[in-house]
Amino acid sequence: MRTNLLKEEHLMFRDAFRRFVEKEVTPFHAQWEKDGLVPRELWQKAGASGFLCMDVDEAYGGLGAKDYRYNAIISEELVRAAASGPGFAVHTDMVAPYISQFGTEEQKQRWLPGLISGETIAAIAMSEPNTGSDVAGIQTTAVRQGDQYVVNGQKTFISNGILNDLVVVAAKTDPAAAAKGVSLIVVERNMAGYERGRNLDKIGMHAQDTAELFFRDVAVPASNLIGQENMGFIYLMQRLPQERLTIAVGAIAAAEVALEWTIGYCQQRTAFGRPIGKFQNSRFKLAEMKTEIEIGRTFIDHCILLHNRGELSVEQAAMAKWWTTDLQVRVIDQCLQLHGGYGYMLEYPIAKAYIDSRAQKIYGGSNEIMKEIIGRAMGF
Ligand SMILES: Cc1cc2nc3c(=O)[nH]c(=O)nc-3n(C[C@H](O)[C@H](O)[C@H](O)COP(=O)(O)OP(=O)(O)OC[C@H]3O[C@@H](n4cnc5c(N)ncnc54)[C@H](O)[C@@H]3O)c2cc1C
């Protein structure tokens, strides 16, 4: 976010989180990339410092900071530090709100304190091996038997998939009814029949655990249903705009920082007796990227303020997601090119940004699905 949109309290929060990242994340990230996940202790440290679920009411241990600018700061700072491992945004922006917004008082008391402290790590499982974009086509089922649901099925590509202690699972409670048969049910770590599969081998984001999940006759108390039965699709549609905005916030920040690195590189690297930034092609590429990033930044800051007022539409969130992630991937590719051979070496952050960025166009609803949403809202 541009600094003129931030008040003193946001700037203090940003400074505090930046220091946290410098001390607790950056020195260890390379090792976490080898490990394939970040340690649980990081989550607890983040929770103890007030960097998880900031919006949740003080009654449950949160800061009660119902201001999305704090969420945006967390995403931006992690991107600026090239720290793609900690899945804080999934936890805070994408999963916890299902509980704080649609949960019962009993569920809030049971789960929110742990989510805030980082003792409990959250995930959301919609995608399955046979269906991702078509959420209404999921095959995982939750059959009501007395005071419990019996969950059967398989999920894949789930962020925080290994670390999670609770996962909001999209399951069919009425298999005949497509979207109107989807419910959201919380499955917890030690429930019999809930197993993690592989920590998937991705092309980037190596410190973030992305996993398969299996549910075999998992008996889940009916009190773990979020909201009402068969209303899951509606809840997802209500919450996905924030998820998409968060992806867009990360995308524009990633493009900005990639350009900063590249400007520095173009100043110090010489070829044919002059800095490579002085070639007309380099200058034009840098000028084009700067222009597009400025345009994107203006739109995203506008979206953040709209979202804070509860006015961000589903289509605007979709526009923000597809346009900024396309921009991010394009900018990072051009920045890598300007680094020459060094751009392909993982010791340079631009190389890691390149492999980390690619998933942005796919998850949170693919960019093609974003265009579907916008086009359909136009009446087509
Ligand atoms: C790193 C990573 C993390 C993820 N984290 C999570 C998570 O935490 N939870 C979760 O539930 N999921 C997660 N996902 C899954 C992600 O949301 C899906 O991969 C995505 O929604 C696309 O679904 P799919 O992979 O099944 O592709 P498909 O739906 O099979 O689509 C394949 C291609 O067809 C295109 N396509 C499909 N339908 C249409 C259409 N109607 N019109 C035009 N084109 C179409 C798509 O755009 C895509 O290009 C993650 C994925 C990745 C890569």
Side-chain angles (χ1 to χ4, degrees):
M1 265 167 301
R2 291 197 176 102
T3 307
N4 64 359
L5 296 185
L6 301 176
K7 296 186 181 150
E8 188 60 32
E9 53 268 34
H10 302 114
L11 296 173
M12 283 166 59
F13 183 82
R14 188 171 70 183
D15 283 349
F17 188 62
R18 192 172 285 179
R19 281 199 304 276
F20 177 85
V21 173
E22 281 165 6
K23 179 164 175 260
E24 304 289 355
V25 176
T26 303
F28 312 107
H29 205 272
Q31 181 58 46
W32 299 342
E33 301 216 348
K34 293 188 185 121
D35 299 342
L37 78 182
V38 305
R40 298 186 70 83
E41 295 71 47
L42 177 74
W43 288 80
Q44 288 150 16
K45 286 179 188 166
S49 304
F51 298 135
L52 298 175
C53 305
M54 297 76 67
D55 59 318
V56 175
D57 291 339
E58 289 163 359
Y60 306 102
L63 302 177
K66 297 194 190 313
D67 178 343
Y68 180 78
R69 282 174 285 190
Y70 292 104
N71 306 49
I73 287 167
I74 298 277
S75 293
E76 288 178 357
E77 290 303 314
L78 285 172
V79 164
R80 293 190 69 81
S84 54
F88 294 165
V90 172
H91 176 94
T92 296
D93 296 11
M94 302 173 193
V95 190
Y98 287 103
I99 295 164
S100 54
Q101 187 175 344
F102 307 116
T104 62
E105 187 52 41
E106 184 273 328
Q107 289 173 337
K108 291 181 194 176
Q109 288 186 14
R110 190 147 49 107
W111 291 317
L112 290 177
L115 293 173
I116 293 161
S117 71
E119 294 292 328
T120 308
I121 298 172
I124 179 151
M126 295 170 277
S127 307
E128 301 184 353
N130 292 326
T131 185
S133 303
D134 181 11
V135 180
I138 56 170
Q139 290 163 355
T140 297
T141 54
V143 177
R144 181 83 189 234
Q145 286 181 6
D147 59 0
Q148 59 189 27
Y149 288 96
V150 178
V151 178
N152 275 291
Q154 183 181 342
K155 299 287 179 180
T156 194
F157 309 141
I158 306 308
S159 305
N160 297 337
I162 298 293
L163 286 171
N164 75 81
D165 303 288
L166 72 77
V167 53
V168 174
V169 177
K172 280 280 173 71
T173 31
D174 183 354
K180 289 182 180 157
V182 175
S183 297
L184 301 182
I185 294 173
V186 174
V187 176
E188 295 170 87
R189 175 172 275 279
N190 291 322
M191 290 181 170
Y194 168 36
E195 281 168 24
R196 286 146 181 78
R198 289 175 299 151
N199 189 1
L200 296 163
D201 195 9
K202 306 186 291 295
I203 61 172
M205 297 171 68
H206 290 137
Q208 190 161 135
D209 51 317
T210 309
E212 299 169 316
L213 306 179
F214 298 96
F215 306 93
R216 293 191 187 91
D217 291 327
V218 186
V220 183
S223 59
N224 280 22
L225 175 73
I226 299 281
Q228 291 172 31
E229 205 175 84
N230 296 330
M231 288 286 286
F233 201 81
I234 308 275
Y235 303 144
L236 290 172
M237 293 308 113
Q238 285 183 31
R239 292 302 328 167
L240 284 172
Q242 174 161 306
E243 171 165 345
R244 290 170 184 154
L245 178 60
T246 294
I247 293 171
V249 164
I252 201 73
E256 284 169 345
V257 73
L259 183 60
E260 279 174 30
W261 297 329
T262 306
I263 291 169
Y265 190 80
C266 287
Q267 285 163 345
Q268 53 93 8
R269 176 77 176 173
T270 55
F272 300 95
R274 51 182 157 152
I276 57 164
K278 294 278 188 190
F279 296 115
Q280 190 192 49
N281 176 67
S282 314
R283 208 163 47 232
F284 279 16
K285 285 284 171 228
L286 292 166
E288 286 164 13
M289 291 192 282
K290 175 127 183 88
T291 306
E292 284 193 282
I293 291 170
E294 280 285 329
I295 293 166
R297 164 56 64 202
T298 303
F299 181 54
I300 292 307
D301 281 356
H302 172 64
C303 287
I304 290 172
L305 296 183
L306 282 178
H307 186 51
N308 255 355
R309 297 201 299 267
E311 293 170 8
L312 182 73
S313 71
V314 172
E315 302 90 86
Q316 284 166 319
M319 289 173 191
K321 196 268 170 182
W322 90 255
W323 199 83
T324 57
T325 57
D326 260 27
L327 176 69
Q328 173 189 7
V329 170
R330 200 165 63 244
V331 161
I332 289 173
D333 183 56
Q334 288 172 1
C335 287
L336 187 151
Q337 186 70 15
L338 285 166
H339 279 72
Y342 290 106
Y344 202 66
M345 300 300 135
L346 278 169
E347 66 200 81
Y348 278 77
I350 194 65
K352 206 160 82 63
Y354 183 79
I355 53 176
D356 283 351
S357 64
R358 189 58 183 84
Q360 291 265 89
K361 288 168 47 156
I362 298 168
Y363 53 40
S366 71
N367 285 4
E368 293 73 31
I369 295 298
M370 296 304 101
K371 292 174 195 174
E372 276 293 313
I373 291 170
I374 300 159
R376 269 189 255 132
M378 293 165 71
F380 296 103

